Amino acid sequence: MAVRLSVLVLRPPGGGSTWHAHSDDLLGHLLGRPGLDVTLLERLPDAAEDSTESLALESIGGHIACLAWQDPAEVMADLDRAGRPMLRRPHAGDPHDEAPAKPPSVSATSQESIRQGRMYFFDMRRQDGVPAVLGALQGLLRTLQVPTFQIGSPSESAPPRLNSSATLDPAPRPAPPAPVSPPTLKSRPETRVAPSQSDALDRLVDELDAFDS
C-alpha cells in the first residue's frame, strides 16, 4: 500500500491579513496533488470539544505535515490541548528544529486514548513561496515511501508444478507370495512275499503248465 502524507493547514489568525491570501493560494496548489491528503482547520479545538474541527482532527492519521502561520511551540501546545500530541521531526522545510521534541507528559489513563504521531512543521511565515513549499512536501513524501520488492527469485517462491506430460510412477505393488512346492508323496513300501509262499506259487504255476500241455 502506497504511503500518503496528511497535510494539516491552519488558517492564519486574525482577519483580513495578508497571510490569508497566501493561505488561499497555497490551498489551490495543494488540493488534488497525488499522495497528499489536505485538511483545512480554522483553529485547533479543545480535547473535550464536540465540533467539526474535532472530528476533522481525529480523522487525520499517518504522517502529518502541519502548515501554520504561527509559532511552532504555540501550535504544538494547541495540539496537545486538542488531544493530539505530536512529535516534531526535523526535515528540509524545518531546518531550525535539529532534534525531535520530547512528547508532552500525560497521565497513564489519558495516554491510552491518545494517538501520538509524527509531525513535520512548516512555519509559513518563513517560507520562500508556494512552489518551494510544494516541492518540500513532495520531497518529504518521497522519503516516506518505502519501495516494496520480492525476496528471492520467482522460481524459489513459487510452489513446484507437475508437467502435464509427465507420467507418474504407479504405486508399488506387493510382492507375489513365494510359490509353495507341492507336498512330496511318499511311496508305499513294497509288499514282499515270504519265501515259503513264493515256492508254493512257483509249484502251482508249474502244475498248471503241465496240465495245459
Side-chain angles (χ1 to χ4, degrees), residues 37 112 125-126 147 157 195:
D37 297 329
E112 297 178 356
R125 301 170 301 176
R126 297 180 174 86
S157 58

Side-chain angles (χ1 to χ4, degrees), residues 194-205:
S196 58
Q197 295 179 356
S198 179
D199 294 340
L201 290 176
D202 291 339
R203 288 194 299 267
L204 179 61
V205 172

Side-chain angles (χ1 to χ4, degrees), residues 201-213:
L201 290 176
D202 291 339
R203 288 194 299 267
L204 179 61
V205 172
D206 292 341
E207 293 176 358
L208 290 175
D209 290 340
F211 178 76
D212 289 337
S213 59

